[in-house]
């Protein structure tokens, strides 16, 4: 029962929303997108921190730049494809309105695929770039450095207006509207696209975890110097790991921006896209992709139910339930660390000898 507590909690939350007369269909579609986005972000973090032992406290960097691709790059390409002459940032309302009329369905599909590819490439490049300090810094100093890198996206987006409009932000091109239509059709289409991308990434990262690359990453987590002894360069391993993690998380940022329909730098805060994924990973089980899934379900259930029943909860506690959310998630982190330090679904312990033998063979064959 314990490994499926997240899924059970989610199904119970859907029943609760329906039983209390709220819009269960809207809750279901919204939470599917939320679960997909946070699953992508947390899986990428789990690859880096949970499996490889890289303390990435700057996850928000690649997530934000993935969203910037949706607003700052895909929008401009959409204008070019549709043959429209607008400044996408300065004339944003007019440009988006014109795209809503002039963009065809095949063009929208092409833009979506292009956006996914571009965000993955940019995220991979940023991930590899931010891995460079790991050559000279220990884990503690690397964590602080990556934490500082996480603020780069915020200040670049906020102060460089041509990117995504600076303090005003921009609306994203109406890709989902042109693909699926408006209203409920858009929500269903966005949920299906997000869930499909998340499922593909989960299958890919799960396969990667079970591969020789995943095994040597676990050896790197325990003892980076041992990786060198086995003939591998730890810096190269870290670069590849952070490139993959950056690509996956940037795709999450793009999907999030397209669903919300706008990009604003102030929306990409450290607590939302760094602290919460860390909490989910610790809660589910570091180093275990299946545990991450459980953690995501539990987190989204609490997060969304607090939002839906905020007035009822506020009347009981006597203050704004927004602050209750911060307090609750902070308390959850402490309780989990004290009572379940390995998470709801702990990482499976693998014999070290088998892993070392595999890594040694890889080193000899390299």
């Amino acid at each position: 029962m314990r490994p499926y507590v997240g899924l059970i909690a989610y199904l119970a939350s859907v029943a609760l929303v329906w039983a209390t007369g709220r819009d269960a269909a809207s809750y279901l579609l919204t939470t599917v997108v939320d679960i997909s986005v946070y699953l992508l972000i947390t899986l990428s973090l789990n690859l880096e921190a949970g499996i490889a032992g890289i303390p990435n406290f700057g996850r928000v960097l690649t997530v934000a730049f993935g969203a910037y691709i949706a607003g700052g790059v895909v929008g401009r390409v959409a204008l070019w494809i549709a043959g429209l002459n607008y400044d996408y940032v300065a004339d944003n309302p007019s440009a988006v309105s014109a795209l809503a009329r002039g963009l065809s369905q095949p063009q929208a599909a092409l833009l979506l695929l292009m956006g996914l590819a571009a965000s993955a490439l940019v995220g991979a490049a940023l991930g590899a770039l931010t891995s460079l300090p790991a050559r000279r810094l220990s884990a503690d100093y690397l964590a602080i450095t990556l934490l500082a890198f996480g603020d780069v996206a915020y200040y670049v987006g906020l102060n460089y207006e041509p990117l995504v409009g600076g303090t005003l932000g921009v609306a994203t091109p109406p890709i989902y509207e042109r693909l699926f239509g408006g209203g409920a059709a858009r929500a269903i289409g966005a949920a299906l696209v997000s869930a499909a991308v998340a499922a593909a990434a989960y299958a890919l990262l799960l396969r990667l975890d079970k591969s020789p690359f995943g095994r040597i990453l676990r050896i790197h987590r325990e003892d980076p110097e041992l990786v060198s002894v086995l003939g591998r360069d730890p810096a190269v391993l870290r670069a590849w790991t952070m490139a993959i993690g950056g690509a996956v998380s940037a795709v999450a940022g793009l999907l999030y921006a397209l669903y919300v329909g706008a990009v604003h730098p102030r929306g990409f805060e450290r607590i939302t896209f760094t602290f919460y994924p860390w909490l989910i990973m610790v809660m589910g089980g570091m180093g275990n992709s299946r545990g991450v899934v459980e953690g995501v379900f539990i987190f989204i259930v609490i997060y969304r139910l607090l939002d839906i029943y905020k007035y009822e909860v506020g009347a009981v506690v006597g203050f704004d339930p927004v602050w209750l959310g911060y307090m609750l998630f902070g308390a959850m982190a402490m309780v989990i660390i004290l009572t379940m330090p390995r998470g709801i679904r702990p990482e499976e312990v693998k014999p070290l000898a088998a892993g070392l033998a595999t890594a040694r063979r890889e080193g000899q064959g390299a």
Side-chain angles (χ1 to χ4, degrees):
M1 183 68 71
R2 179 176 168 183
Y4 301 100
V5 64
L7 179 59
I8 293 171
Y10 178 66
L11 295 175
S13 72
V14 175
L16 174 65
V17 171
W18 175 79
T20 54
R22 304 302 173 96
D23 190 348
S26 176
Y27 173 78
L28 187 64
L29 293 173
T30 302
T31 51
V32 166
V33 176
D34 290 338
I35 288 167
S36 301
V37 168
Y38 269 98
L39 182 60
L40 287 166
I41 297 171
T42 313
L43 283 173
S44 70
L45 183 62
N46 185 59
L47 175 68
E48 296 175 2
I51 297 175
I54 303 169
N56 191 349
F57 287 103
R59 180 77 296 163
V60 65
L61 172 69
T62 48
V63 177
F65 270 96
Y68 294 168
I69 292 295
V73 176
V74 176
R76 289 180 167 92
V77 175
L79 289 176
W80 176 73
I81 289 178
L84 299 171
N85 187 23
Y86 289 95
D87 183 317
Y88 190 77
V89 172
D91 307 321
N92 188 246
S94 300
V96 172
S97 178
L99 285 173
R101 297 188 303 270
L103 203 62
S104 68
Q105 194 173 44
Q107 289 173 337
L110 179 63
L111 286 168
L112 177 60
L113 294 175
M114 187 217 74
L116 292 171
S119 61
L121 288 173
V122 170
L126 287 172
L129 183 64
T130 53
S131 74
L132 295 179
R135 287 182 176 270
R136 296 182 177 273
L137 297 177
S138 63
D140 294 339
Y141 289 103
L142 177 62
I144 296 172
T145 302
L146 293 175
L147 182 67
F149 279 158
D151 289 336
V152 169
Y154 174 81
Y155 289 108
V156 169
L158 200 62
N159 294 290
Y160 184 63
E161 290 189 6
L163 182 59
V164 286
T167 56
L168 297 178
V170 294
T172 57
I175 291 177
Y176 285 148
E177 288 83 351
R178 299 306 300 159
L179 276 176
F180 307 109
R186 180 191 188 276
I188 294 171
L192 290 175
V193 170
S194 301
V197 173
Y202 174 77
L204 176 65
L205 292 178
L206 192 62
R207 186 176 181 84
L208 190 67
D209 181 19
K210 296 179 180 297
S211 71
F213 181 74
R215 288 193 288 270
I216 202 165
L217 286 184
R218 295 181 190 277
I219 296 173
H220 173 275
R221 179 187 65 190
E222 302 302 327
D223 190 350
E225 293 182 2
L226 184 57
V227 174
S228 300
V229 173
L230 295 172
R232 290 294 186 92
D233 186 349
V236 173
L237 282 176
R238 286 191 288 266
W240 273 105
T241 304
M242 295 187 70
I244 296 170
V248 173
S249 56
V251 167
L254 177 119
L255 292 174
Y256 173 77
L258 291 178
Y259 175 71
V260 172
V263 180
H264 196 293
R266 294 189 189 277
F268 295 92
E269 298 178 343
R270 189 185 302 156
I271 187 171
T272 307
F273 295 111
T274 296
F275 171 72
Y276 285 161
W278 269 93
L279 171 63
I280 292 168
M281 181 178 62
V282 172
M283 178 168 54
M286 290 186 67
N288 190 337
S289 298
R290 294 184 176 90
V292 167
V293 176
E294 299 295 331
V296 169
F297 274 120
I298 294 173
F299 171 80
I300 294 301
V301 165
I302 297 173
Y303 188 84
R304 282 300 171 192
L305 289 184
L306 280 176
D307 182 57
I308 291 174
Y309 299 103
K310 56 188 174 184
Y311 297 113
E312 292 86 345
V313 174
V316 173
V317 299
F319 57 87
D320 192 335
V322 170
W323 301 109
L324 178 62
Y326 295 144
M327 295 164 59
L328 181 60
F329 288 130
M332 280 177 59
M334 291 188 290
V335 170
I336 290 166
I337 291 172
L338 290 173
T339 60
M340 294 185 297
R342 298 182 60 206
I344 295 171
R345 195 162 186 167
E347 176 186 2
E348 296 179 5
V349 179
K350 298 179 177 64
L352 181 60
L356 289 175
T358 302
R360 191 177 293 110
R361 287 196 301 271
E362 293 169 5
Q364 292 172 353

